[in-house]
Amino acid sequence: MESYLAVFLGGGLGSIARYSIAKIDISHLTNFPVNTLTSNVLSSLLLGIFLGLFIQNNYFSPTIKLLLITGFCGGFSTYSAFTFETLELFKFEKYLLAISNIFLNLVLCITFLLIGMGILKFLYK
C-alpha cells in the first residue's frame, strides 16, 4: 500500500508542476507546443538526476524511488499531450512543426536524461 501512496503523491506533485508550466501563456508567440516540450525535457532531466542519484547511492528506499521516478516524473512528463498536439499540427497541415515536435521531444528528452545522469557523475568524481 505504501508504494501506491508514493506513486499517487509523486504523480500529483508532478501533475501540478506540469499544469503550472501549461499555464504560462506563450500562445501569442508561437504555434509550437513549447509548454509540453518544456515539461517533457525538464522531466527527463530530473529523471536523469534521480537515476544518477539512485545508481550512485544505494541507500534510497524503493518507496522514494517510486515517488520520484514513477510518480513525479511520470506525472510531470506528458506523452498524451505531446501525441495530441502533434496530431493537431498534422491535422492543420503544419507538417514542419509536427515533425519538429517529434524530433525535438525525442532528441532533447534523451539528451537531457543523459545530462541529468552525467551531472551526478561529474559531481561525484
Side-chain angles (χ1 to χ4, degrees):
M1 187 62 163
E2 184 179 304
S3 60
Y4 287 98
L5 185 58
V7 171
F8 174 76
L9 179 62
L13 293 171
S15 294
I16 289 170
R18 182 179 74 225
Y19 179 72
S20 298
I21 289 175
K23 295 300 289 178
I24 300 169
D25 185 19
I26 57 168
S27 58
H28 60 283
L29 298 175
T30 180
N31 290 325
F32 192 80
V34 175
N35 300 67
T36 299
L37 178 63
T38 301
S39 292
N40 289 341
V41 169
L42 288 176
S43 177
S44 296
L45 176 65
L46 289 173
L47 178 61
I49 291 170
F50 295 150
L51 287 171
L53 271 174
F54 301 150
I55 291 168
Q56 296 281 337
N57 304 294
N58 291 327
Y59 55 83
F60 287 98
S61 73
T63 304
I64 294 296
K65 293 176 184 177
L66 283 171
L67 183 133
L68 293 174
I69 292 176
T70 305
F72 186 81
C73 289
F76 190 17
S77 64
T78 176
Y79 190 76
S80 57
F82 155 71
T83 305
F84 174 74
E85 291 165 349
T86 302
L87 288 177
E88 286 292 295
L89 290 170
F90 277 119
K91 177 180 162 184
F92 292 107
E93 298 180 356
K94 297 180 179 181
Y95 302 115
L96 184 59
L97 287 176
I99 292 168
S100 297
N101 193 37
I102 293 167
F103 178 79
L104 286 172
N105 268 279
L106 180 64
V107 171
L108 290 177
C109 288
I110 291 171
T111 301
F112 275 79
L113 174 75
L114 293 171
I115 288 170
M117 293 178 79
I119 286 171
L120 290 165
K121 286 182 181 178
F122 177 75
L123 292 175
Y124 281 103
K125 280 189 175 184

